[in-house]
Amino acid sequence: MSFQLHRNPPFRAEHLGSLLRTEKLLETRHSWEAGKAQEADLTNIEDEDIKEIVKAQLDIGFHAITDGEYRRHMFWGSFWPGLEGMKEIQNPDPDIFRMYLPDIAAFTESGHKPGESVICTGKIKHVGSTYTEQFDFLKKLVPADQVKNLKLTLAAPNWYHLRYKEGRAYPKDVYPSDSEYFADIAKAYQAELQILYDHGARNIQFDDPNMAYFCSESMLEGWKKDPLNTKTTDQLLGEYIDLYNKCISKAPADMHFGLHICRGNFVNSRHFSEGGYDRIATKLFQEMNMHTYYLEYDTPRAGGFEPLKHLPKNKNVILGVITSKFPELEDTGAMKARVMEAAKFIAEGSGQTVEEALKRCGVSPQCGFASHSSGNSVVRQDMINKLKLVRKVADDIWPGEP
């Protein structure tokens, strides 16, 4: 797909969506989940906390403002359980999962069963957005000319497919094959995106740790040993990229789409997988119709910047060189050097100068601060310091740019 380089969004300084909740919000949500608090009590606290965190983002100088994902328990939100034909299940049977997937394996290694999941029980149909009220509230908190910059994060369209064993993602009497299943998922995302667009949303970020699993040696080895699998991982990766392209194929041209990839960001700053982008870079950057890639790059487990040679001239990359997992503050000079190093590889691959390559870059933390509502191993001031550092690095490299 041919399109022009999309700017503003993305911005030079970005964060990935989720922000630390207050203790009051966490306690109220737990009480509500236990039936000890009214939903109105929870909503009131969410509203007040969102107002505060939006102001904090604006004060620091961010433009792709989010509501901190304060109305969610997990980063993937409520899109999937809101679909007709999909059912949220508590305490799912572990036998339905591919146990070698990094997050599933991590849960079982520590003696836990995989948490709640969503599974197909019938024909999938979009029956209304679960996000419009949330987005409409967020719109009221920024000037009208900044609504287009607000960022909304969505779960990956492959999220409830890869984790399930071959033949367990959907009933065979409902969908004969993946292609029919994927077709209805694409239609559901198309409907969601149009509704969000009609409410003013122009900046969408898909969160997809699954893509990083295709870089994981343990996952790839487990896949090869699984006698149930009928496709190679390369074939499945290609199908997922095609699914993404169909999901966004009918969106208006002025809607910005980004893909965030990380290797897990669970409670207490736990990660799930390791491996550089080398295995997937060509397909990911050149075949997927995303404007922007938000990539984890805060530790060696994400590999080097060499795969960025494959980034086409009409695409951006936001470099997640600052960690949201731990409180220690990175050195500003070292972070600027990392961005410059990445730009050299982008320039080399595209035949541009480093200065030209930098025009397609930005900086961010590697992931959110609270992919799970309980949050990472940082406190609020740590988070604020990290966000200020992101803004500082961006201002030093791209002075005067948002």
Side-chain angles (χ1 to χ4, degrees), residues 60-96:
I60 295 170
F62 281 83
H63 294 263
I65 303 297
T66 76
D67 63 4
E69 301 179 3
Y70 281 4
R71 303 191 198 275
R72 307 184 189 187
H73 169 59
M74 294 291 295
F75 72 89
W76 54 73
S78 53
F79 172 77
W80 282 98
L83 297 176
E84 184 177 294
M86 296 296 293
K87 182 180 180 181
E88 189 169 39
I89 52 176
Q90 302 293 328
N91 302 313
D93 181 358
D95 190 54
I96 67 175

Side-chain angles (χ1 to χ4, degrees), residues 306-335:
E306 289 84 354
L308 297 179
K309 290 179 183 180
H310 300 284
L311 188 74
K313 290 182 180 180
N314 65 335
K315 296 190 177 186
N316 305 283
V317 61
I318 305 301
L319 300 160
V321 294
I322 293 165
T323 190
S324 67
K325 292 183 182 294
F326 304 108
E328 292 77 17
L329 206 57
E330 292 86 348
D331 176 73
T332 303
M335 295 301 97

Side-chain angles (χ1 to χ4, degrees), residues 6 9-10 14 16 64-66 72 131 135 147-157 189 192-197 200-207 244 247-248 251-252 254-260 289-294:
H6 204 295
E14 292 267 356
L16 280 304
I65 303 297
T66 76
R72 307 184 189 187
Y131 291 130
F135 190 77
V147 170
K148 66 183 185 301
N149 301 334
L150 299 174
K151 181 156 66 174
L152 184 70
T153 60
L154 292 178
Y189 273 89
E192 176 76 18
L193 292 171
Q194 186 60 55
I195 290 170
L196 293 173
Y197 185 90
R202 299 292 184 273
N203 187 13
I204 303 297
Q205 174 187 302
F206 291 96
D207 289 329
Y244 265 107
C247 287
I248 64 177
D254 61 337
M255 202 170 203
H256 169 258
F257 292 104
L259 179 73
H260 166 51
N289 297 329
M290 290 288 158
H291 300 107
T292 301
Y293 299 89
Y294 302 85

Side-chain angles (χ1 to χ4, degrees), residues 83-261:
L83 297 176
E84 184 177 294
M86 296 296 293
K87 182 180 180 181
E88 189 169 39
I89 52 176
Q90 302 293 328
N91 302 313
D93 181 358
D95 190 54
I96 67 175
F97 296 99
R98 288 182 166 116
M99 288 297 184
Y100 47 85
L101 255 66
D103 62 316
I104 303 296
F107 284 129
T108 52
E109 283 169 9
S110 56
H112 299 292
K113 294 180 179 179
E116 77 277 359
S117 198
V118 180
I119 197 161
C120 177
T121 57
K123 288 283 286 183
I124 294 171
K125 182 180 179 182
H126 192 277
V127 289
S129 175
T130 61
Y131 291 130
T132 50
E133 285 187 18
Q134 299 175 21
F135 190 77
D136 288 346
F137 180 84
L138 183 60
K139 285 193 303 186
K140 299 174 185 176
L141 306 181
V142 299
D145 63 350
Q146 293 184 29
V147 170
K148 66 183 185 301
N149 301 334
L150 299 174
K151 181 156 66 174
L152 184 70
T153 60
L154 292 178
N158 58 55
W159 188 245
Y160 291 110
H161 181 266
L162 182 62
R163 62 178 41 218
Y164 297 127
K165 287 180 179 178
E166 185 79 24
R168 304 298 292 272
Y170 50 83
K172 284 294 185 182
D173 61 343
V174 175
Y175 293 111
S177 70
D178 284 348
S179 59
E180 287 89 354
Y181 171 72
F182 291 156
D184 277 356
I185 290 174
K187 289 177 184 176
Y189 273 89
Q190 290 166 8
E192 176 76 18
L193 292 171
Q194 186 60 55
I195 290 170
L196 293 173
Y197 185 90
D198 292 343
H199 278 253
R202 299 292 184 273
N203 187 13
I204 303 297
Q205 174 187 302
F206 291 96
D207 289 329
D208 194 351
N210 280 351
M211 283 291 163
Y213 295 170
F214 288 92
C215 309
S216 165
E217 291 290 348
S218 62
M219 188 283 228
L220 297 173
E221 189 62 30
W223 187 276
K224 290 177 183 177
K225 292 178 180 178
D226 187 343
L228 297 177
N229 290 330
T230 59
K231 303 169 185 175
T232 66
T233 50
D234 282 345
Q235 288 172 323
L236 188 61
L237 175 63
E239 291 183 7
Y240 285 168
I241 289 173
D242 184 56
L243 172 58
Y244 265 107
N245 291 342
K246 289 177 179 174
C247 287
I248 64 177
S249 63
K250 296 187 177 181
D254 61 337
M255 202 170 203
H256 169 258
F257 292 104
L259 179 73
H260 166 51
I261 301 178

